[in-house]
Structure formats: structure tokens, C-alpha cells
Amino acid sequence: MVAGGLCLCGLIRLLCSLLIPALFLSGILCICLVVLLWVIRLWIQQRKKQLSSAGRDGKRPLLVAFFHPYCNAGGGGERVLWCAIRTLQKKYRNVTCVVYTGDRDATGEEIVEGAFRRFNIKLIHPVKFVFLEKRYLVEASLYPHFTLLGQSLGSVFLGWEALLKCVPDIYIDSMGYAFTLPLFKYLGGCRVGCYVHYPTISTDMLSVVRDRDTRFNNTTFITNSPFFSKFKLVYYYFFAFMYGLVGSCSDVIMVNSSWTLNHILSLWRAGACTSVVYPPCDVQTFLDIPLEVEKSTSEYSIVSVSQFRPEKDHPLQIRAFAKLLKEKRVGQQPSLKLILIGGCRNQQDEERVNNLKRLCEELGVGNDVMFRINIPFEELKRHLAEATIGLHTMWNEHFGIGVVECMAAGTVILAHNSGGPKLDIVVPYEGHVTGFLAENEDNYAETMAYILSLSPEKRLEIRENARRSVHRFSNQHFEDTFLLSVEPLFK
């Protein structure tokens, strides 16, 4: 008994002798890390003074930088970027807008011209572009496994490159790279804000893994294995914790819909500085399209407007369309067409389009589906003006600018019964129907058949209701709410 007590005392003394030096060493390392970060911060501030120069009036302009590595793409996120820049240029005179981009295959002039061509957005003053060389670090293809973590860590290195090339006064992440926020705030000494289009991880994604539901980001290999499903769930919870930690350091948080708001409040827990700023939709341009009773009932087109990314679920559109034709739900309409309009950002997107074309051939609808890639704004407007149905199939779409554009242009919208379309857009207006929602292949085929079976007068009534409801998504409404939200960054 005594010997056992001596052994226990000896063990305790041994642990204490190891623990105290370990705690001391850890404290020393923490202090060294803090000192190192402080030195880096001072060095960056000194570098900022060296790189900055005074304007014509002798005052140094306020640098407002937007982190948008894919600014030359043609999606809704890019529309937000260019409208935000134009809004700041209207409001503040002594502001120079900077865009961090990895689009090194185009000049600054070509990028600005592309924004005007695609979105009809004309900037008031020139923009300074900082071209980044390490954009490949945020490419999903670089991380076949642990993609979320890999891309997020890659964004930190890409953000470091951006910070070294230009140190702004105000930093706004406009593309969803939240892990860059603490980098610019604590090392760059910037006031930081962000516009969240889509949470990098959401509580819905956690539910998908927990329920072992097969999705584009949760493969059958994972769902069929209890071990891998549990491992992925732990990984997701860890990542969600880190995502909330970095996001909460933002001084201003803007989200694009009620759906995004709910998830960001749950993960970031920063409600005091979070607000909904609906994306700017050029509704007036589409509202200028004359709205009349359809003259022809023998020719119909169904139009989809979205980038060719996996989450947009274009295969669902093609399968539902093929089912519609196969079951001859539309009677004897020989000229029914599905027109897929969208932007391709890179070779992966182009390969995705090729796969969709092969799917069309396999389903026997190759001649009935048209692809329109990176088209000019006027051509987009023409297709929407001629379309009968506007189609959208993304599950939990954060907002859905394409949905709003379809409604404003006068199509009868058929969107996915989730996310922004369900909560914010395709909702009754003054008690009247503004569009339709569906969830699966059968729902979409049946609803398309129902829409086409309506009389032209009934479709006109729905189109008019939808048009009246979209004014809350106008450019002017975006400008007002955006300026109100970012005002704390300029104080």
C-alpha cells in the first residue's frame, strides 16, 4: 500500500516536472508569435506609407479594395462588385477603388469593358487592378479532398499576396473568402467588410452529411459509409467553427438574402453588424420590354440563366425537359426549345458544358437544347423577351439574380423550392401568384406542362404580378442599402 502511494506521488512529481516547463515554453512561444505578428503589422504599415501617394488636391485618396479573384466572370457576384464600385464612386469623391483579381489573361480596360457589355454597368472613374499570380491556390481542382479547408487556406496565401502588393484603408471581401478577413484586419490594419453571396459552409450542408443524403458535394462513396460520414461530419463541424471565428471579425457584414442571413447569424453570431442587402438587378432594363399577350401559341422557349457550375444543377433541367417532351405533355408543340444561358469561367466549366451536351444526346434532346455561353447583354435580353418560361434548379440558391431577371423580363418563372427564390423572390405579391416552385424532375416536368397549358391571358396575369414584385430588387434599392451598410467603414 505504501509502495503504491510512493509510486503515485512519484508519477505526480514527474508530470509536474514536465508540465511546468511545457507551460513555460508554450507561454514563450505565444509571446514570440504575438511579437512577430506585431512586427509584421508595423512593417506592412510602413510599406503602405511608402506605396501611397497624394492625389491632385494634395490629399491621399482613401483606398477601398475589393477581393474578387474572378472579377471577369459573368455571374451575379460580379454584378454586385461593379455596382458596389459605381455606388462608392457616386457617393465619395476622395476614394480610389482597387480590385484584387487573378484574371491575368485580360487587361484592366478589357475587364471594365466586359462589365459594361455583360451587365450594362458604366463606371464613373477608373479602377485600379492588382493582378494576383497565385489564384490557382483557390481552385477547387487543386483539392480533390478536404476542398473547403484547402480553398480557405489557399485564400489566405492569395490574400497575403494581395496585401503585399497593395495595402488598402478599407477591405471588402466580395466573393466569399472569409479567411482573408483577419489577415487584412489584424496585419493590414484595415477596416474590413464583406458581402456574403453564399456561406462557405451552412447548417444545411451539415444536415446533408448528418442524414447521409447524396448531393453533388456529398458523394455516394461517403453516404454509403457510416465511418466516412461521421468523419466528414466532424470535419464539417470543425470547419464551421473556424469559419464562424474568422467571419465574426468583420466590421460590416452584408448578406444577399433571408436564407443567407439565417445561416450567417447562426455561424458568425455577429447580428449587430449584419444586414440584408439584396443584389442589384437591372430590373428597369428588363421592365422596358413590352409585355403583351403572346401572339403565337405554337412556339415556346424555356430559358435558364446561370453560370455553368455544378451546384446550378443543369442536368436536372435537361432531364425534366426531356421528360416533358417524352410524355408529350405539351401536345403537338414541335418547336419547344430549352435555352441554357450562362458564363464559363475556366476549362472546368467548359468541360461541364461538354458533359451537358453529351447528356442531351443520350436523352435524345440534342436538337431541342441550345447553349448560349458568355453572351452579350443585348442577346440575353432578347432571349428573355422571347421566352415563355424562366427555369432555375439550384437547391438552396442563396438569392437568384437570374430568377429576378426572368420575372422582370416577363417570363413565367419556375424556380427551386428552397433558398432565396422560396423565401424572398417567388412569393405572392399582394396576394397574387408571381411564379412557381418545384423540387425534382417530376415536379419540374409537371409544372412546365401546367404553365404551357394555361391560356395566354392567364400567363399574362402571372407575368404582370411578377413584374410588379421585383422593384424591391432594383439597382437604386441596392445603392441605398449598400451605402447605409458600409457607412461605418468610412467613419
Side-chain angles (χ1 to χ4, degrees):
M1 190 73 179
V2 175
L6 289 174
C7 288
L8 180 60
C9 291
L11 181 61
I12 292 174
R13 282 196 297 270
L14 176 63
L15 291 175
C16 289
S17 65
L18 294 174
L19 182 61
I20 293 174
L23 290 174
F24 179 76
L25 181 60
S26 299
I28 293 295
L29 290 175
C30 287
I31 293 173
C32 291
L33 180 61
V34 170
V35 171
L36 176 62
L37 293 176
W38 184 254
V39 170
I40 293 175
R41 178 186 170 102
L42 291 177
W43 175 70
I44 290 176
Q45 293 304 307
Q46 186 62 33
R47 183 179 178 85
K48 177 180 179 179
K49 292 179 181 178
Q50 294 174 351
L51 294 176
S52 61
S53 58
R56 294 180 180 179
D57 57 357
K59 297 180 180 179
R60 190 183 71 83
L62 195 69
L63 288 182
V64 181
F66 292 83
F67 191 75
H68 209 104
Y70 296 91
C71 74
N72 202 30
E78 288 67 57
R79 170 176 282 281
V80 170
L81 169 69
W82 300 118
C83 278
I85 291 175
R86 184 178 62 182
T87 300
L88 292 181
Q89 290 179 343
K90 285 182 182 179
K91 173 71 174 180
Y92 300 100
R93 291 189 176 183
N94 195 38
V95 161
T96 296
C97 291
V98 179
V99 177
Y100 297 117
T101 178
D103 294 302
R104 295 187 297 149
D105 57 344
T107 64
E109 292 77 11
E110 289 172 340
I111 293 174
V112 172
E113 175 59 30
F116 175 70
R117 180 172 56 85
R118 290 170 182 154
F119 307 119
N120 199 31
I121 297 174
K122 185 85 172 172
L123 300 182
I124 301 171
H125 304 296
V127 172
K128 178 181 177 182
F129 289 92
V130 176
F131 291 93
L132 307 176
E133 300 177 4
K134 296 181 175 61
R135 189 177 71 177
Y136 65 89
L137 292 175
V138 297
E139 293 280 357
S141 58
L142 191 62
Y143 312 99
H145 307 290
F146 300 99
T147 308
L148 294 180
L149 185 60
Q151 286 184 290
S152 297
L153 293 177
S155 72
V156 175
F157 288 99
L158 187 63
W160 176 251
E161 179 190 351
L163 187 59
L164 290 182
K165 288 185 175 181
C166 177
V167 185
D169 299 290
I170 297 172
Y171 170 80
I172 299 177
D173 165 41
S174 54
M175 204 174 171
Y177 294 105
F179 280 74
T180 63
L181 294 170
L183 183 71
F184 278 83
K185 182 171 185 175
Y186 299 117
L187 293 185
C190 311
R191 284 158 280 173
V192 300
C194 60
Y195 189 97
V196 184
H197 298 275
Y198 195 84
T200 304
I201 190 168
S202 66
T203 53
D204 286 335
M205 292 170 65
L206 293 171
S207 298
V208 166
V209 178
R210 189 187 305 112
D211 299 338
R212 296 169 67 179
D213 186 12
T214 302
R215 298 275 180 174
F216 77 91
N217 59 351
N218 196 42
T219 62
T220 305
F221 168 72
I222 299 292
T223 58
N224 288 342
S225 170
F227 172 77
F228 285 114
S229 291
K230 290 179 181 178
F231 180 81
K232 185 171 183 177
L233 187 61
V234 172
Y235 160 56
Y236 267 21
Y237 271 114
F238 168 75
F239 184 84
F241 171 76
M242 295 299 298
Y243 182 60
L245 203 61
V246 297
S248 61
C249 76
S250 186
D251 300 309
V252 166
I253 303 167
M254 294 168 281
V255 298
N256 64 346
S257 69
S258 301
W259 181 87
T260 308
L261 174 68
N262 294 334
H263 288 284
I264 289 299
L265 289 179
S266 174
L267 294 167
W268 291 13
R269 303 185 185 281
C273 58
T274 305
S275 58
V276 176
V277 179
Y278 287 130
C281 305
D282 194 8
V283 295
Q284 190 55 54
T285 299
F286 293 104
L287 290 173
D288 290 339
I289 298 173
L291 195 61
E292 302 172 349
V293 177
E294 302 158 31
K295 297 178 180 178
S296 172
T297 58
S298 60
E299 297 182 359
Y300 295 113
S301 65
I302 302 169
V303 171
S304 163
V305 182
S306 60
Q307 286 187 306
F308 289 100
R309 302 204 300 260
E311 63 270 22
K312 299 299 183 180
D313 206 353
H314 288 90
L316 174 56
Q317 299 178 6
I318 295 171
R319 289 195 300 269
F321 178 72
K323 193 177 189 71
L324 177 69
L325 294 183
K326 183 178 180 180
E327 297 185 7
K328 299 180 179 180
R329 295 175 181 267
V330 293
Q332 304 297 319
Q333 323 296 341
S335 59
L336 184 63
K337 294 285 184 181
L338 173 62
I339 304 174
L340 303 180
I341 301 174
C344 279
R345 303 165 298 173
N346 48 41
Q347 187 175 354
Q348 282 182 309
D349 288 353
E350 292 172 2
E351 180 59 30
R352 197 167 290 115
V353 170
N354 292 332
N355 290 336
L356 292 173
K357 290 179 178 178
R358 284 192 285 271
L359 177 62
C360 291
E361 296 298 330
E362 292 171 6
L363 296 176
V365 294
N367 295 329
D368 302 301
V369 180
M370 301 167 60
F371 290 82
R372 293 292 179 264
I373 302 168
N374 297 331
I375 63 174
F377 181 79
E378 287 303 318
E379 185 177 347
L380 166 67
K381 185 177 175 181
R382 178 174 59 80
H383 281 300
L384 288 178
E386 296 171 353
T388 300
I389 298 175
L391 196 59
H392 163 275
T393 49
M394 178 177 170
W395 173 71
N396 273 340
E397 171 78 82
H398 42 289
F399 179 72
I401 289 181
V403 175
V404 174
E405 290 177 342
C406 286
M407 293 169 69
T411 69
V412 179
I413 191 67
L414 174 56
H416 198 281
N417 189 27
S418 63
K422 176 182 179 179
L423 297 177
D424 294 311
I425 306 175
V426 191
V427 295
Y429 178 74
E430 297 181 351
H432 300 291
V433 175
T434 59
F436 300 89
L437 299 169
E439 294 183 9
N440 54 48
E441 182 180 319
D442 290 334
N443 291 157
Y444 275 99
E446 291 169 2
T447 309
M448 283 190 285
Y450 173 73
I451 294 171
L452 294 171
S453 70
L454 295 173
S455 67
E457 291 76 18
K458 182 60 178 178
R459 281 198 293 267
L460 178 62
E461 180 184 331
I462 297 172
R463 294 157 64 199
E464 289 175 339
N465 294 335
R467 274 196 158 188
R468 285 194 292 268
S469 73
V470 299
H471 287 285
R472 58 208 165 98
F473 306 123
S474 66
N475 286 335
Q476 186 59 52
H477 188 267
F478 169 82
E479 292 182 4
D480 295 339
T481 53
F482 177 78
L483 288 174
L484 188 63
S485 297
V486 301
E487 188 178 357
L489 298 177
F490 290 84
K491 291 182 178 178

